[in-house]
Amino acid sequence: MMVPDFSVRIQTLLRALNEFVIPAVPLDNKLAREQANLVLGHLAIMADQCDYLMDFEMAELREQCALLEELRQSAHGGPCTAAASEAAAHLLARANAVAGLDIPVQKELIKLVRSVKGATDALINASAQDGHEAFRDCVGKTVVKYAGPQLLRWRTWIRAAGFDPTPAALPTMEDAVRSSPLPTGNSSCCAGRAD
Amino acid sequence: MLEPDFKQQPSEQWIDEIRQRFETERLVDWALTSKLQERPLPPHKPQSLEAVTVRLMDFFRRRMPDGFELSDIWALAGGSSKEQFRFRLRWHDPRLGPQDKVYVLRLQPAESIVETHRQREFEVIRALRGVIPVPEASWCDAEGEEFGRPALITSFEPGVVKPPAEGLGEVTSAKQGFGAHYRALLAPQLIKIIADFHAFDCASADMPSLDVPKVGTNQGVLWFINWWRRVWEEDYLEPVPLLTYVAQWLVANAPPIDRLSIIHGDFRGGNFLFLPEDGKITAMLDWELAHLGDRHEDLAYIMNPLFAEPDENGQLLVGGFWPREHFLREYERLSGLPVDPKRLDYYRVLNAWRMCIITLGTAVRCAVGQKTHQDILVAWLAGGAAIAGQELYELLSARVE
């Protein structure tokens, strides 16, 4: 759950600084005012960038792969050149595989996540209207099953806020964002049951 | 930032549909509908001290034609929901003689982390005056005709919300860190307070703005569920299937209310004032979520892990004050009202669900629209959803297997 996302968070930081903090810094404290204005500046940059982090890196990757490939094709020389060219070839095999992925831009990905959740909501609501009994029984079990790992990820995501009563029990951020249950075709509690 | 969704500019048709889908109390409907109708307006600008002073002067000029003196006006920190200003008022009362009192003006921003009606808060505080420590509710501008925004004026009570050693004493936080000394002083008073206002005969009180559900039915519970389903529908940016399912579960399992009590709705540390020198509680605050309902709602609320704090031996205490069983048994003894474990569990689910809605839905929506006087704080509070969600998950896991 990315809400509030970085852009919303940064918006609130800018507002708090502009409306409350900076006005309270004495005019004659030049260093503090300068630092505060630099904070504003950094935040403005981050606000511009935060929705495009992945997209930026992908653009860099594709461009740099193309650059390296173009150089490699022209690379002729002695052993040093040959060795560097060969190392580049190995790396490009891996990098091009990633660069070639059809990854949606970050905003599209977020919209897609929200659409999937919205469709899940719609199915849950529909189940209450005219879902068969077996399906209605299934809904709670399935939703709760998937909520477990999702909540662990949310708690880790927000750990720095200090709300969690057992932060030591949380995984690392890397583990939290990498591990998630993969959907499997026959894991439904209703699979195979006649309605 | 992602483009604003349609909820930032809600249509009249959508507002009408939502109102019809989720039947709730009259003035809850009023507050939520006003919020939606005003949502397209520009970001909230906190009122300056000068502007507040002018409003206060005009307000008292209309009521005290023989003259008055207004002084010592300043903004109070603390609280995530309303802008608050303290002021001193001196005047001559024809019956009581010279008066010199300090008051708090609570002013509603464009949107709040909880959207409520000032008249309800006003009437509940008045009803409980003399029953438990509460401020004196003096004036109410329920629709904002005089203050530009809905407003409430209560007496300013002395005290702090946190022990002085912990900081300024006025910052909103789920955890208060009272420590053994203050815990010993505050815990017995707090449990008496909740016991007393739950046992209070609300039928005898003058609270016409609160709708009265039928005792012995779950009407009041369904109103309450609808209130928060509506809030979620109006405010969420991203769906949360768990919350959608839980709403259905809550409706299907809503228990009847055996006895109506005044429910505080946010009973916890941080919502009462006490004197640091002797720990005496001077006022229970923040009655804006008050409604008539089942006492188990307040009991379950303070049992949420967000408010739990360990004692010196590491034992988690309910609200940071009591071991769980002691809390429940002492409450029963003081109130004369039994605690039903099944209903307690039900309201733990309901409260955790409601807290998710407030933090994931309303708090974020307020920050997106720049609608409060402290967006940075409400955005911060959104993090509490992970903990409330975990509580919800653990409670439901035991129930859906």
Side-chain angles (χ1 to χ4, degrees):
Chain A
M1 176 58 63
M2 273 290 284
V3 291
D5 63 20
F6 284 173
S7 58
V8 173
R9 248 186 230 285
I10 291 168
Q11 177 180 273
T12 70
L13 296 175
L14 288 167
R15 206 172 172 209
L17 284 166
N18 275 315
E19 289 184 14
F20 295 106
V21 178
I22 291 175
V25 175
L27 283 171
D28 61 358
N29 192 336
K30 289 189 168 49
L31 179 58
R33 292 196 79 86
E34 180 194 68
Q35 296 286 292
N37 283 311
L38 282 167
V39 172
L40 284 179
H42 277 284
L43 287 171
I45 293 170
M46 289 165 69
D48 251 3
Q49 295 173 348
C50 65
D51 288 335
Y52 303 99
L53 298 175
M54 186 73 158
D55 313 325
F56 186 88
E57 295 298 337
M58 284 301 289
E60 289 273 289
L61 181 66
R62 289 180 181 127
E63 229 165 54
Q64 294 302 308
C65 283
L67 165 61
L68 185 56
E69 182 58 38
E70 197 167 316
L71 280 177
R72 216 187 56 77
Q73 288 186 3
S74 314
H76 299 291
C80 288
T81 302
S85 180
E86 191 176 335
H90 282 302
L91 177 61
L92 273 174
R94 193 158 57 87
N96 277 326
V98 175
L101 289 173
D102 186 17
I103 297 174
V105 297
Q106 187 167 302
K107 284 189 178 183
E108 292 305 315
L109 180 58
I110 292 172
K111 281 186 192 168
L112 190 58
V113 169
R114 290 185 181 179
S115 296
V116 171
K117 290 182 177 181
T120 309
D121 257 14
L123 196 47
I124 294 170
N125 284 328
S127 76
Q129 286 186 21
D130 61 10
H132 290 179
E133 192 182 335
F135 175 48
R136 291 202 310 273
D137 286 344
C138 221
V139 165
K141 290 176 188 155
T142 310
V143 167
V144 172
K145 179 175 83 173
Y146 278 83
Q150 185 186 40
L151 280 155
L152 197 59
R153 189 165 55 250
W154 292 5
R155 287 169 60 201
T156 307
W157 192 248
I158 203 69
R159 172 174 30 206
F163 285 113
D164 206 291
T166 55
L170 296 174
T172 62
M173 189 67 83
E174 190 169 349
D175 284 344
V177 298
R178 293 267 163 100
S179 61
S180 61
L182 294 173
T184 55
N186 292 326
S187 64
S188 164
C189 53
C190 293
R193 288 168 65 174
D195 279 328
Chain B
M1 201 182 294
L2 283 180
E3 295 76 33
D5 62 9
F6 74 93
K7 295 180 192 180
Q8 284 304 119
Q9 304 269 341
S11 67
E12 282 299 322
Q13 184 190 349
W14 186 70
I15 295 173
D16 283 342
E17 279 167 10
I18 275 221
R19 293 180 71 193
Q20 282 173 37
R21 268 176 75 192
F22 301 113
E23 185 202 333
T24 188
E25 292 189 61
R26 293 162 297 132
L27 292 188
V28 171
D29 170 51
W30 189 96
L32 295 178
T33 304
S34 299
K35 170 194 80 178
L36 289 178
Q37 289 168 340
E38 293 183 356
R39 185 166 278 170
L41 296 175
H44 177 69
K45 283 222 170 314
Q47 295 205 30
S48 67
L49 214 48
E50 293 72 28
V52 169
T53 304
V54 167
R55 297 264 192 193
L56 283 167
M57 291 292 290
D58 288 343
F59 184 83
F60 288 114
R61 215 172 267 133
R62 284 188 275 273
R63 285 158 179 80
M64 294 172 181
D66 293 338
F68 61 92
E69 189 183 324
L70 192 67
S71 65
D72 303 314
I73 307 168
W74 65 72
L76 293 171
S80 56
S81 175
K82 305 291 173 282
E83 294 181 68
Q84 301 191 105
F85 300 88
R86 172 207 181 281
F87 64 93
R88 185 178 181 190
L89 187 68
R90 280 176 278 202
W91 78 103
H92 190 272
D93 186 293
R95 287 185 303 116
L96 303 170
Q99 301 294 301
D100 183 350
K101 291 188 178 180
V102 180
Y103 290 98
V104 175
L105 168 66
R106 277 167 63 78
L107 213 46
Q108 192 164 310
E111 288 187 39
S112 303
I113 195 165
V114 289
E115 206 64 40
T116 54
H117 197 286
R118 300 284 60 71
Q119 186 66 25
R120 288 166 61 99
E121 186 179 2
F122 181 71
E123 288 175 9
V124 168
I125 296 174
R126 281 210 151 176
L128 290 174
R129 185 92 173 149
V131 178
I132 60 168
V134 287
E136 184 180 354
S138 303
W139 295 281
C140 182
D141 179 18
E143 298 189 11
E145 286 159 355
E146 297 186 74
F147 283 97
R149 300 291 317 161
L152 181 64
I153 296 176
T154 66
S155 58
F156 178 88
E157 298 299 325
V160 295
V161 294
K162 269 181 157 175
E166 292 299 318
L168 295 172
E170 293 182 272
V171 176
T172 296
S173 172
K175 307 245 184 272
Q176 309 303 314
F178 289 102
H181 169 69
Y182 281 108
R183 200 183 306 129
L185 294 171
L186 296 168
Q189 298 179 73
L190 271 176
I191 201 161
K192 175 117 182 32
I193 284 171
I194 190 174
D196 283 350
F197 75 77
H198 279 176
F200 173 68
D201 176 17
C202 35
S204 67
D206 183 23
M207 299 184 292
S209 66
L210 303 191
D211 291 359
V212 182
K214 287 195 194 70
V215 177
T217 75
N218 63 9
Q219 182 185 43
V221 194
L222 295 178
W223 281 348
F224 194 71
I225 295 168
N226 272 351
W227 174 353
W228 294 100
R229 287 178 88 180
R230 182 174 160 177
V231 168
W232 178 244
E233 204 62 36
E234 292 174 352
D235 293 348
Y236 80 79
L237 267 83
E238 184 165 318
V240 180
L242 179 65
L243 298 185
T244 306
Y245 167 68
V246 171
Q248 292 177 3
W249 184 92
L250 287 168
V251 169
N253 292 279
I257 299 175
D258 62 344
R259 182 196 182 281
L260 283 180
S261 293
I262 290 179
I263 305 304
H264 183 282
D266 194 13
F267 183 82
R268 58 174 174 85
N271 276 343
F272 63 87
L273 292 168
F274 64 96
L275 299 175
E277 56 266 27
D278 60 7
K280 179 173 180 236
I281 292 178
T282 55
M284 199 68 219
L285 305 174
D286 283 340
W287 290 89
E288 63 174 313
L289 285 166
H291 56 283
L292 298 179
D294 190 317
R295 60 194 176 280
H296 294 84
E297 186 194 322
D298 272 341
L299 298 176
Y301 184 78
I302 197 166
M303 292 169 70
N304 191 286
L306 257 178
F307 308 128
E309 296 184 38
D311 64 11
E312 288 64 41
N313 300 318
Q315 181 189 13
L316 276 182
L317 302 176
V318 167
F321 291 107
W322 317 272
R324 180 198 153 110
E325 282 311 303
H326 171 83
F327 169 64
L328 296 174
R329 300 293 79 82
E330 190 65 0
Y331 170 86
E332 285 183 313
R333 185 182 73 79
L334 290 170
S335 66
L337 299 170
V339 173
D340 171 4
K342 277 186 73 175
R343 266 189 286 163
L344 200 59
D345 273 355
Y346 174 87
Y347 281 99
R348 286 177 66 199
V349 174
L350 189 149
N351 282 324
W353 172 77
R354 175 169 69 100
M355 286 166 77
C356 286
I357 289 170
I358 290 172
T359 47
L360 268 182
T362 310
V364 181
R365 178 63 63 176
C366 286
V368 165
Q370 302 181 68
K371 293 292 191 170
T372 77
H373 57 302
Q374 35 183 353
D375 298 340
I376 191 171
L377 176 56
V378 296
W380 180 266
L381 292 174
I387 314 311
Q390 181 69 24
E391 162 90 336
L392 196 54
Y393 162 71
E394 288 173 9
L395 290 167
L396 264 296
S397 294
R399 281 153 185 79
V400 298
E401 285 303 320

